[in-house]
Amino acid sequence: MSHENKTNIFVVGMDEGNLDTLLRVPHAEEYAYHPLLTIEELQHGEPDIPELLRKARKELDSFDGKIDAIVGYWDFPVSTLVPVLNEEYGLRGTSLESIVKCEHKYWSRLEQREVIDEHPAFGLVDLEGEPRVPEGMRFPMWLKPVKSFSSELAYGVENEEEFREAVDNIRAGISRIGRPFEDIMDRLDLPPEIAEAGGQACLAEEALTGDQVAVEGFVHEGEVVVYGVLDSHTYPDSACFLRHQYPASLTPETVERIKDISVRVIRRIGLDNATFSIEYFHEPATGKIGLLEINPRHSQSHAEMFEHVDGVPNHHRMISLALGKNPRVNQGAGNYELGAKWYYRRFTDGIARRVPSGEEIARIEESIPGVKIHVIPEQGQRLSDMEGQDSYSFELAHLFVGADSEEAMQDKYDRCVEAMRFEFDEPEADSSAH
């Protein structure tokens, strides 16, 4: 196929579901998308940064056309490989330092503290010696590596005993992401306290309370724009997400406050020509807002939500920025008033004896308009063997639903859940457990 008349965009870790979305952005017919590195290479086991960069360069150097953009929508290591490659190939994008300032949770908190008060108390926990609660901090709190993804190794702890148990778990698993993250950090001139902490440190943060809210935005030529505020709803008595919903059902004043905090923080961090998403907690009774974390990328899993409501998936902003175009769109031009991503979960381990087939899913999607379903486990898979799950539950399916009211959306979700047939066998007792 000739690339001569098309704009060539390399997508790090391109997958089928997102290619489908990329083909629906405005002007997609003018773009040729090329995969760069596979999901398996990027997300399984411990990422080998020098080797991944070597493979990527080899692929790019052997390409016979003009390289117009390199983009990515995944967490580490994709988020950090993109700016390294953009700089090497003279392409548009934000600096590696601005990405790492978001992704290194401790560095991110130090930067936030300079410009906002809406963050929890935080401190480092020594993983070498006797682990101690940082001075002046109270339970309940969260312990997490300064770099992890998909809530891996993030533990909510209520007391000293749980604190020590979480530290042991983090100590055992932190190197899988921490070591490669240090390969990336070595490329930067780091402030002394960040260099000292390194990429395999443990952060304690006092627990934030309230409802979860997320914002999506971009920076175009230095101008920070927040284009979407979303609600996150959790399962009853659980920290696990039930659904994300756009637009959020917050008061206009609260939306403005959250936008203002976001703009100040992103300016401070120095992101430019990049997308971002930030997660918050909001207490409706007191109006209190707390910033949970900053992701220096748009959330690819929100693409359908934005498409339902605005008529354009949020991947459009990433592509526009990489090509030097203004990413603004007419918001509210979609088919539905509301869009949501639902997480259908199971809270106990099991072996998936039966999962819905592709044909069954297609039938459900056909019979309920505005619905798209992605099944997570494979037949015969043990749920606890799935990659990237949180510490408390197992995702069975993601459901993307567009509707004109919350009632209609709940109804569509319930009908989908009812129509999907999963069956599980109890896992045999772990032979290593006594």
Side-chain angles (χ1 to χ4, degrees):
M1 176 190 131
S2 160
H3 315 303
E4 281 164 31
N5 306 325
K6 291 209 171 192
T7 300
N8 294 303
I9 299 169
F10 281 80
V11 184
V12 183
M14 185 161 81
D15 61 318
E16 221 171 295
N18 280 292
L19 174 58
D20 195 32
T21 307
L22 288 164
L23 292 170
R24 299 197 305 276
V25 305
H27 314 297
E29 66 285 352
E30 297 164 19
Y31 306 148
Y33 295 114
H34 307 277
L36 186 59
L37 303 172
T38 66
I39 293 287
E40 287 66 42
E41 289 173 309
L42 292 158
Q43 291 188 348
H44 294 180
E46 184 177 313
D48 181 338
I49 300 294
E51 177 59 12
L52 289 169
L53 285 168
R54 189 192 65 75
K55 280 184 177 166
R57 290 182 192 114
K58 191 176 168 194
E59 233 167 297
L60 292 164
D61 293 344
S62 65
F63 182 66
D64 62 355
K66 181 174 181 286
I67 299 168
D68 295 291
I70 301 173
V71 297
Y73 38 70
W74 298 114
D75 195 347
F76 184 81
V78 174
S79 52
T80 52
L81 295 173
V82 169
V84 172
L85 293 168
N86 274 331
E87 193 176 334
E88 288 181 9
Y89 286 83
L91 300 167
R92 195 177 275 95
T94 195
S95 67
L96 178 63
E97 182 177 296
S98 66
I99 297 277
V100 177
K101 273 184 186 173
C102 297
E103 297 222 339
H104 191 289
K105 291 179 173 31
Y106 181 55
W107 196 357
S108 184
R109 287 297 187 206
L110 294 176
E111 292 294 321
Q112 292 163 38
R113 194 165 69 184
E114 294 298 313
V115 289
I116 63 166
D117 300 319
E118 292 84 354
H119 59 78
F122 63 94
L124 291 176
V125 175
D126 184 9
L127 291 180
E128 301 295 318
E130 181 61 29
R132 272 199 295 274
V133 173
E135 217 169 300
M137 286 184 63
R138 296 189 305 262
F139 293 109
M141 62 181 69
W142 282 85
L143 294 190
K144 42 186 109 163
V146 292
K147 179 67 207 141
S148 65
F149 53 55
S150 300
S151 310
E152 254 180 54
L153 297 180
Y155 296 95
V157 298
E158 302 277 343
N159 53 44
E160 285 284 349
E161 190 186 343
E162 290 181 3
F163 178 87
R164 279 195 294 276
E165 198 179 309
V167 168
D168 287 343
N169 288 339
I170 289 170
R171 207 183 260 145
I174 198 167
S175 65
R176 182 173 93 83
I177 301 301
R179 246 199 313 253
F181 191 52
E182 286 181 339
D183 283 342
I184 290 288
M185 291 173 69
D186 287 346
R187 307 176 79 91
L188 299 173
D189 188 6
L190 300 166
E193 63 267 50
I194 302 305
E196 198 182 321
Q200 298 187 62
C202 173
L203 185 66
E205 300 181 338
E206 280 187 11
L208 293 165
T209 53
D211 301 332
Q212 286 198 251
V213 176
V215 307
E216 296 247 345
F218 61 81
V219 194
H220 177 239
E221 306 296 354
E223 185 196 0
V224 184
V225 177
V226 173
Y227 61 80
V229 182
L230 309 92
D231 274 327
S232 296
H233 300 258
T234 53
Y235 276 80
D237 306 317
S238 163
C240 303
F241 290 128
L242 170 63
R243 73 175 187 273
H244 303 304
Q245 183 175 316
Y246 170 65
S249 50
L250 298 167
T251 65
E253 299 78 51
T254 304
V255 169
E256 282 314 309
R257 278 178 61 209
I258 289 172
K259 283 184 174 181
D260 173 60
I261 296 164
S262 306
V263 169
R264 277 186 282 155
V265 164
I266 294 299
R267 272 200 195 124
R268 168 76 194 180
I269 278 167
L271 278 179
D272 199 8
N273 296 317
T275 56
F276 62 85
S277 56
I278 309 180
E279 294 169 47
Y280 290 96
F281 275 87
H282 169 248
E283 289 182 6
T286 61
K288 191 178 166 193
I289 293 169
L291 191 155
L292 178 63
E293 68 176 17
I294 305 168
N295 299 302
R297 61 192 188 314
H298 71 290
S299 176
Q300 51 85 23
S301 68
H302 293 163
E304 280 87 358
M305 264 190 271
F306 284 100
E307 195 169 4
H308 280 319
V309 179
D310 294 337
V312 174
N314 58 357
H315 289 44
H316 160 72
R317 276 94 176 184
M318 171 186 78
I319 298 293
S320 301
L321 290 163
L323 296 173
K325 299 176 178 178
N326 189 330
R328 287 181 181 278
V329 301
N330 285 331
Q331 291 184 261
N335 295 329
Y336 297 100
E337 295 292 319
L338 294 173
K341 177 186 183 179
W342 295 75
Y343 296 82
Y344 180 45
R345 300 176 187 269
R346 179 178 159 102
F347 288 84
T348 51
D349 200 3
I351 293 160
R353 178 167 28 133
R354 183 190 195 284
V355 302
S357 69
E359 292 76 39
E360 288 171 328
I361 293 299
R363 274 204 301 276
I364 298 169
E365 290 175 342
E366 214 169 290
S367 66
I368 306 172
V371 163
K372 194 171 146 197
I373 301 169
H374 174 52
V375 173
I376 312 289
E378 289 170 21
Q379 195 150 325
Q381 187 172 28
R382 183 173 175 160
L383 298 181
S384 54
D385 290 341
M386 297 193 301
E387 293 263 333
Q389 298 297 302
D390 65 39
S391 310
Y392 302 103
S393 72
F394 308 99
E395 295 172 7
L396 301 184
H398 296 161
L399 294 87
F400 302 94
V401 180
D404 288 332
S405 68
E406 287 202 5
E407 295 73 31
M409 193 164 60
Q410 181 75 52
D411 178 60
K412 286 184 182 186
Y413 172 76
D414 292 341
R415 283 162 61 198
C416 290
V417 167
E418 204 174 312
M420 286 190 293
R421 247 183 68 217
F422 286 92
E423 288 170 15
F424 298 95
D425 291 323
E426 286 301 312
E428 285 181 25
D430 191 340
S431 55
S432 66
H434 296 295

